[in-house]
């Protein structure tokens, strides 16, 4: 019996159930989901007020280190970039669509929203990029599960909300989106759409079981994105977006990384991109981050923090 630690939300248990099914299919093992309450689930306060990075994973990691579960499944975008002592990222399965979507009243798209429309999101990354578009919309704080967030639109409290498409796809609710946002407008959070399978570093048996789930292209992409985030010394609540893709180039596979650092006001915004080899994903992320720091990304993030 493999005990899989997961948050208790419908999205978290759906994601973890998908991993459990893959392990059953690949190895014929029994997998039990163990639900764990996290600080991020218990509090409705803005993430930056309750600790930001790690609030959705700390309790699950604690259960893993204490041996109460054998592996943990996280949304990779929630995982701190710093290594966790005693744990290993054993598998990063093939990524779901990393893009953000809009769910708006009356089937509207972002460009069709009237000036002054209220768009719900608690993400500084999304706020900065929405405001940078100059559409005259207002952003409003938003926390809670998918049902709670969508309910803010159906009830009329908000004109629209922005969510990750991956979560809607996993819940079978993708058709509720009124627009898929192009990464040119809205770069996702580093690691968005990907799952992280962690186990204890000394648990060779579980590490071996998870190896079959690892997708090399996804791991290369998220490694570049998360290395950029770490080099910028920014957490998951920082106004940083990044997206890497493995594409076919003249000399074979190439890794294309795009990134943005913004400010809640919407201006200025630093956007940069770089291309490298998938095998050098970490170096690519560091290089692009260093270029952005040379352009003033640290001052921009600092102003966002103190705003």
């Amino acid at each position: 019996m493999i005990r899989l630690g997961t948050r208790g939300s419908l999205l978290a248990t759906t994601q973890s159930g998908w991993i459990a099914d893959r392990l059953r299919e690949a190895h014929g093992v029994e997998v039990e989901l163990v639900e764990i309450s996290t600080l991020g689930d218990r509090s409705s306060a803005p993430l930056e007020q309750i600790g930001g990075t790690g609030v959705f994973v700390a309790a699950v990691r604690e259960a893993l280190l204490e041996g109460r579960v054998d592996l943990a499944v996280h949304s990779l975008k929630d995982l701190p970039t710093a290594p966790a002592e005693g744990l290993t990222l054993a598998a990063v399965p093939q990524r779901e669509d990393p893009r953000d979507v809009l769910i708006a009243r009356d089937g509207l798209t972002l460009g069709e929203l009237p000036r002054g429309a209220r768009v719900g999101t608690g993400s500084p990354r999304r706020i900065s990029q929405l405001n940078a578009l100059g559409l005259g919309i207002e952003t409003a704080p938003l926390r809670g599960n998918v049902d709670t967030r969508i309910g803010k639109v159906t009830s009329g409290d908000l004109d629209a909300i922005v969510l990750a498409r991956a979560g809607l796809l996993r819940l079978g609710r993708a058709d509720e989106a009124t627009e898929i946002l192009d990464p040119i407008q809205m770069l996702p959070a580093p690691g968005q759409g990907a799952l992280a399978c962690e186990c204890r570093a000394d648990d060779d048996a579980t590490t071996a079981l998870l190896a079959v789930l690892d997708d090399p292209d996804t791991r290369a992409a998220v490694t570049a994105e998360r290395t950029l985030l770490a080099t910028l010394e920014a957490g998951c609540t920082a106004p940083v977006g990044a997206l890497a893709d493995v594409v076919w180039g003249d000399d074979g596979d190439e890794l294309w990384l795009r990134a943005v650092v913004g400010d809640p006001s919407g201006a200025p915004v630093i956007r940069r991109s770089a291309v490298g080899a998938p095998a050098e994903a970490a170096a690519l992320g560091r290089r692009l981050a260093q270029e952005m720091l040379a352009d003033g990304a640290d001052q921009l993030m600092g102003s966002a923090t103190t705003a």
Side-chain angles (χ1 to χ4, degrees):
M1 174 68 71
I2 303 296
R3 298 162 299 166
L4 189 160
T6 178
R7 293 168 55 198
S9 71
L10 177 59
L11 178 56
T13 56
T14 299
Q15 293 174 165
S16 295
W18 184 86
I19 294 294
D21 288 342
R22 303 290 83 72
L23 289 172
R24 294 182 187 110
E25 292 169 2
H27 303 293
V29 295
E30 288 298 320
V31 183
E32 174 191 7
L33 298 191
V34 179
E35 295 184 11
I36 299 166
S37 175
T38 71
L39 177 59
D41 296 312
R42 295 191 298 271
S43 174
S44 59
L47 295 183
E48 56 270 23
Q49 292 183 12
I50 59 174
T53 303
V55 297
F56 290 115
V57 304
V60 182
R61 281 178 155 178
E62 181 181 351
L64 184 55
L65 287 168
E66 292 177 353
R68 289 184 276 133
V69 296
D70 304 301
L71 70 101
V73 174
H74 315 280
S75 292
L76 188 56
K77 67 182 179 63
D78 295 332
L79 209 61
T81 55
E85 186 175 356
L87 300 180
T88 185
L89 183 56
V92 181
Q94 185 173 10
R95 190 181 210 168
E96 189 52 273
D97 190 333
R99 294 175 293 179
D100 281 325
V101 298
L102 187 80
I103 298 179
R105 61 174 175 83
D106 305 321
L108 298 176
T109 64
L110 191 57
E112 293 169 341
L113 289 172
R115 295 187 68 84
R118 299 181 71 240
V119 180
T121 175
S123 162
R125 168 188 62 83
R126 288 172 176 148
I127 292 170
S128 66
Q129 293 184 81
L130 285 170
N131 287 336
L133 295 174
L135 299 176
I137 60 175
E138 299 178 5
T139 58
L142 185 67
R143 284 285 314 277
N145 60 32
V146 171
D147 277 332
T148 299
R149 297 184 190 206
I150 293 177
K152 294 291 186 179
V153 177
T154 55
S155 68
D157 290 345
L158 295 172
D159 295 294
I161 59 173
V162 180
L163 296 175
R165 187 167 191 249
L168 294 180
L169 284 166
R170 290 181 175 124
L171 293 173
R173 303 181 65 171
D175 58 351
E176 296 182 46
T178 57
E179 182 182 13
I180 300 173
L181 300 179
D182 193 306
I184 292 174
Q185 296 178 303
M186 178 75 67
L187 276 172
Q192 184 164 304
L195 300 179
C197 300
E198 280 191 318
C199 65
R200 290 181 292 278
D202 60 359
D203 187 349
D204 295 337
T206 303
T207 300
L209 288 176
L210 289 169
V212 69
L213 303 183
D214 197 58
D215 180 69
D217 286 354
T218 299
R219 185 178 280 268
V222 301
T223 295
E225 296 164 15
R226 286 167 54 77
T227 302
L228 176 133
L229 191 66
T231 306
L232 291 174
E233 297 185 352
C236 64
T237 59
V240 176
L243 180 62
D245 297 287
V246 176
V247 299
W248 182 254
D250 293 338
D251 299 316
D253 283 346
E254 294 179 343
L255 187 62
W256 180 33
L257 174 62
R258 294 171 282 175
V260 61
V261 172
D263 178 277
S265 68
V269 169
I270 298 172
R271 286 181 178 270
R272 295 290 181 271
S273 64
V275 177
E280 299 173 350
L284 179 65
R286 280 192 296 271
R287 173 161 60 87
L288 187 56
Q290 288 162 356
E291 292 176 6
M292 299 180 82
L293 288 170
D295 289 338
D298 51 347
Q299 290 92 344
L300 193 56
M301 289 187 295
S303 67
T305 303
T306 57

